Amino acid sequence: MADPTSRGFPDATRRNERARRAILAAALSLVDETGYPGLSIEALAGRAGVGKQTIYRWWPSKAAVLLDACQGLDEAHPDGPEPSPAPDTADLAADLKRMLRATVDELTGERYGPPLRALAAAAACDPVLAAGLTDRLLAPRHARFERRLRTARAAGELAADADLPLVTELLLGSLAYRWLMGRSVLGHADADALVDHVLRGVSAP
Amino acid sequence: MADPTSRGFPDATRRNERARRAILAAALSLVDETGYPGLSIEALAGRAGVGKQTIYRWWPSKAAVLLDACQGLDEAHPDGPEPSPAPDTADLAADLKRMLRATVDELTGERYGPPLRALAAAAACDPVLAAGLTDRLLAPRHARFERRLRTARAAGELAADADLPLVTELLLGSLAYRWLMGRSVLGHADADALVDHVLRGVSAP
């Protein structure tokens, strides 16, 4: 007779995985529908069809659920969990504009926009969440820009003493600031203007 | 016989003003002690010694109380409610560094740091609050930088087509992004490096 424990284990694993996926999907749909204030462990449990204890067993907070859900979006992306390689044509400004326009699309789109905004808001007052958001969602995005900038610096297109993480923060940080605080809708023209100003600088020639 | 209404009015006004000040002071001290999640209308009422209804009569939310409290900090500042004039020596880079270092001190200091962080977090998910934060606290700070940049552009030190609000966002936005998301402590060297990169640009000379 088969051991009931060994028989039961794959079933429990599959059931857990189904519940986990339902909870992550519920987090994304609730944030999209009601905003972050409308997301609660209770609402999550109801939408996912699980008990609240199931959620508390796996995550310390609603923000932690949302962070896993956003990372799941990255992993489900057509390009896979690793951010696609930065475009590398001969034209640095064009490549950076293409990448920063894609960031604008991501921030203002329905897929990432609402959960990223909720995570940014929660992370501002929660250092542990901020570290998770930085490591798991922001760092891969910054790394793409830094890779393209490093190629440019090696080719002599950038100043030898350009601080590449700082340059990346100038682009992504000021965009994120306008996205979080601003009332105007971000567009591709904003991305282009940022790249032009950062590359050329603003001092008189 | 004196009209009791007209006699009562100044007393009520004084009492209201005392309550209002107590509520604003309570908001700042609670956010400093317990962080934004620990701020509630109930805790505010308890600390200020007023009823919850008094708070709800004057403000729609705890964030609105905090915004008024922060504006009160600006108005109580030694320089008065108008941000002090931007420094205007012959050295644009030095002036901008001095201003951006002061911003670092403000963001990391005990007076503005905790309430500004709480407001930024709440504003990210609340467009009405974001508009209030922008108009009442951020706009005067941006305006100081733009004034100094405008003088520089008029003197031919900046490129004629430099977009001054965008340049200001490059400086303040990327600083705010690192402050909100980052784990490293902001320092004056960060302010200096930002100014140098933005003025000179990063393209090879």
Side-chain angles (χ1 to χ4, degrees):
Chain A
M1 193 178 132
D3 173 7
T5 318
S6 70
R7 255 179 42 218
F9 183 69
D11 277 358
T13 304
R14 268 197 298 276
R15 211 164 41 238
N16 280 348
E17 182 55 24
R18 255 201 317 273
R20 204 184 68 88
R21 285 172 184 275
I23 294 163
L24 297 179
L28 292 173
S29 64
L30 281 169
V31 159
D32 190 36
E33 289 163 27
T34 65
Y36 192 56
L39 183 67
S40 66
I41 298 292
E42 188 138 28
L44 270 177
R47 176 69 61 98
V50 302
K52 289 203 284 181
Q53 280 317 310
T54 302
I55 300 176
Y56 283 124
R57 204 186 323 140
W58 293 333
W59 291 281
S61 67
K62 66 179 189 174
V65 181
L66 200 56
L67 182 57
D68 276 0
C70 276
Q71 197 175 12
L73 286 180
D74 274 1
E75 286 162 0
H77 198 272
D79 294 329
E82 267 304 292
S84 55
D88 193 356
T89 70
D91 187 339
L92 172 64
D95 287 351
L96 291 176
K97 286 175 185 175
R98 196 170 136 202
M99 292 162 69
L100 204 59
R101 285 176 173 208
T103 305
V104 167
D105 292 343
E106 198 171 83
L107 293 177
T108 58
E110 282 181 14
R111 181 182 172 88
Y112 278 99
L116 274 184
R117 180 179 291 277
L119 281 174
C125 292
D126 178 344
V128 175
L129 181 67
L133 174 60
T134 299
D135 290 346
R136 292 163 56 191
L137 295 181
L138 303 182
R141 287 163 171 77
H142 281 239
R144 284 187 84 219
F145 281 86
E146 289 178 32
R147 274 197 296 275
R148 182 64 186 90
L149 291 166
R150 198 167 297 118
T151 308
R153 196 172 58 184
E157 295 177 271
L158 288 192
D161 63 351
D163 177 333
L164 305 189
L166 187 149
V167 175
T168 301
E169 276 181 345
L170 280 173
L171 296 171
L172 293 179
S174 57
L175 199 70
Y177 178 75
R178 203 186 300 181
W179 171 64
L180 285 173
M181 295 299 132
R183 282 164 295 173
S184 63
V185 179
L186 285 180
H188 286 179
D190 298 305
D192 294 354
L194 276 172
V195 170
D196 286 333
H197 275 72
V198 167
L199 285 182
R200 291 190 313 220
V202 294
S203 293
Chain B
M1 190 177 131
D3 173 7
T5 317
S6 70
R7 257 186 33 225
F9 186 67
D11 278 356
T13 303
R14 269 198 297 274
R15 209 162 43 236
N16 280 346
E17 183 56 22
R18 254 201 318 272
R20 204 183 69 86
R21 284 173 186 274
I23 294 163
L24 296 180
L28 292 174
S29 63
L30 281 169
V31 158
D32 190 35
E33 289 163 27
T34 65
Y36 191 56
L39 183 68
S40 66
I41 298 293
E42 189 137 29
L44 271 177
R47 176 70 61 97
V50 302
K52 288 203 287 182
Q53 280 315 311
T54 302
I55 300 175
Y56 282 124
R57 204 185 323 138
W58 293 333
W59 290 281
S61 67
K62 65 179 189 174
V65 181
L66 200 56
L67 182 57
D68 275 1
C70 277
Q71 197 175 14
L73 287 180
D74 273 0
E75 286 162 3
H77 198 271
D79 295 327
E82 265 303 290
S84 55
D88 193 354
T89 70
D91 187 338
L92 172 63
D95 287 352
L96 291 176
K97 286 175 186 177
R98 196 170 135 201
M99 293 163 69
L100 204 59
R101 286 174 173 212
T103 305
V104 167
D105 292 343
E106 199 171 84
L107 293 177
T108 57
E110 283 181 14
R111 182 182 170 87
Y112 277 100
L116 274 182
R117 180 179 291 277
L119 280 173
C125 291
D126 178 344
V128 174
L129 181 66
L133 174 61
T134 300
D135 290 345
R136 292 162 59 191
L137 295 181
L138 303 182
R141 288 163 170 78
H142 282 239
R144 286 187 82 218
F145 281 86
E146 289 179 30
R147 275 197 296 274
R148 182 63 187 90
L149 291 166
R150 198 168 297 115
T151 308
R153 196 173 57 185
E157 295 176 272
L158 289 192
D161 63 351
D163 178 333
L164 304 189
L166 187 150
V167 175
T168 301
E169 276 181 346
L170 281 173
L171 295 171
L172 293 179
S174 56
L175 198 69
Y177 177 76
R178 204 185 299 182
W179 171 64
L180 284 173
M181 294 298 130
R183 282 163 294 172
S184 62
V185 178
L186 285 180
H188 286 180
D190 298 305
D192 293 354
L194 277 172
V195 170
D196 285 334
H197 276 72
V198 167
L199 284 182
R200 293 191 312 221
V202 294
S203 293

